[in-house]
Amino acid sequence: MTKVERKGIPLRRSSAEDQVNGSMVNMLAHSFSSSAVPDLMKAKSSVQFSRENSFRRTTETEVFDDGTNTFFWRAHTVTVLFILTCALGYVTLLEETPQDTAYNTKRGIVASILVFLCFGVTQAKDGPFSRPHPAYWRFWLCVSVVYELFLIFILFQTVHDGRQFMKFIDPKLGVPLPEKGYGGNCLLYDPGDKTDPFHNIWDKMDGFVPAHFIGWYIKTLVIRDWWMCMIISVMFEFLEYSLEHQLPNFSECWWDHWLMDVVFCNGFGIYCGMKTLEWLSMKTYQWQGLWNIPTYKGKIKRIAFQFTPYSWVKFEWKPASNLRRWLAVCGIIFVFLLAELNTFYLKFVLWMPPEHCLVLLRLVFFVNVGGVAMREIYDFMDDPKFYKKLGQQAWMVAAITVTEFLIVVKYDPNTLMLPLPFHVTQCWILGILVILTWTIWRFFIRDITLRYKETRRQKQESTSEQEKPLSDGSENPAARGKQNREGLRHRKS
């Protein structure tokens, strides 16, 4: 098994090519002496990876790897099991159990989670990413399972018990907190304030400004498409306009929506993300073992590149190509926007302040699992014959997003049932009708019309070919009869 196969990159090779390459390597082995074994292995590796790259998709970059399998890449299942057993044995035999029930309960839950994470990191299935290490992505897959189980537990509690349960995580939680409104005085220049006429702008410059930029920079790396990023960015601002009567946090000034968010923070983050994507698509992915690099500068560079992708796939969503891709892209945008809304509604119904560490940890969690989930969704949509089922991380992210929304619905249905303003309802109905009309025209009426025109054109071409007089007179009866009569007249004369 090659290194590329261990990393989860699907290879489709034929037995004939294996025989040809095997015979080439055998001939090289007989022709070279024992001192040329390293050169032979390099030649074999280049032949092997050139064959593997020939089966890659056109949107995937070529990868050259010398196949070095160091201690860093080997599985350490027995070692992890031994360390885990020693830790449990120490707690059982040498440590005295406290008489605090609440402390023992928390400690037991944390220990159970750690044992599950150890099992998942060593035994779970690898995903599409292999850098910086496959175990890193297996860890986040297990964290997503733990988080989903936690959400299910919260979902099955009463509203009061669920909110009070958060005190077991942090005693400061479980207390209702007012949401901060960003509306109010929306003048860019306030002539009434002589000391600082631009105080409205400086008041909006809080920690969320760099958070918006960094967030959209990472989202661009996840989605890998400028149009989808801009659509999601603009759509979320429309959602904030529409739902500001439910959450005061959505109430912002017009220039805060469109200038600070869409243009500067989101727009600049998307621009930097697209430039990074351009660099990643042009980068040469040539991997070499650390101990095979002679210079210290090369070793440091290799260590830094360990945190870059092993290979790169350019996402070509092509939503208008067929109905399946169009529905898939619309579903991705919908789930993306729902996850964004869950960030605000969850902290509202569970009484968590925006600056709490749990809110930040949730964002870090989605940053790590979102990229894997998006790659698995793209593979499933782009090549359904090879990827016959949805990836495990994508499945977990979809389940988590839906569960979060169900918690919001259960814990505060009154807020969600507040009626939308009439003009907002009209705008959303109009937008939905436009999308449905375009979908019916593009994938049904237009396709039927094109097929009808193509069938009619083919019939006209076949009819014209049948009625067209043939150039060869011997094959045309009328022309052949006329030729015979002229020949007979010629002989008589």
Side-chain angles (χ1 to χ4, degrees), residues 162-219:
R163 288 170 176 169
Q164 296 304 313
F165 177 78
M166 303 299 294
K167 288 187 175 181
F168 288 95
I169 302 175
D170 187 354
K172 298 179 182 179
L173 298 178
V175 180
L177 297 173
E179 286 283 331
K180 179 183 177 182
Y182 284 79
N185 188 0
C186 293
L187 295 175
L188 288 173
Y189 180 82
D190 188 2
D193 193 336
K194 302 299 182 180
T195 58
D196 188 4
F198 297 98
H199 66 93
N200 288 328
I201 298 178
W202 310 132
D203 291 341
K204 305 300 186 294
M205 294 292 182
D206 51 13
F208 291 99
V209 173
H212 272 264
F213 167 76
I214 297 174
W216 273 103
Y217 174 77
I218 298 175
K219 291 172 188 176

Side-chain angles (χ1 to χ4, degrees), residues 96-111:
E96 183 179 356
T97 304
Q99 300 301 320
D100 189 349
T101 303
Y103 174 76
N104 292 336
T105 301
K106 294 179 182 179
R107 197 180 183 198
I109 294 175
V110 173

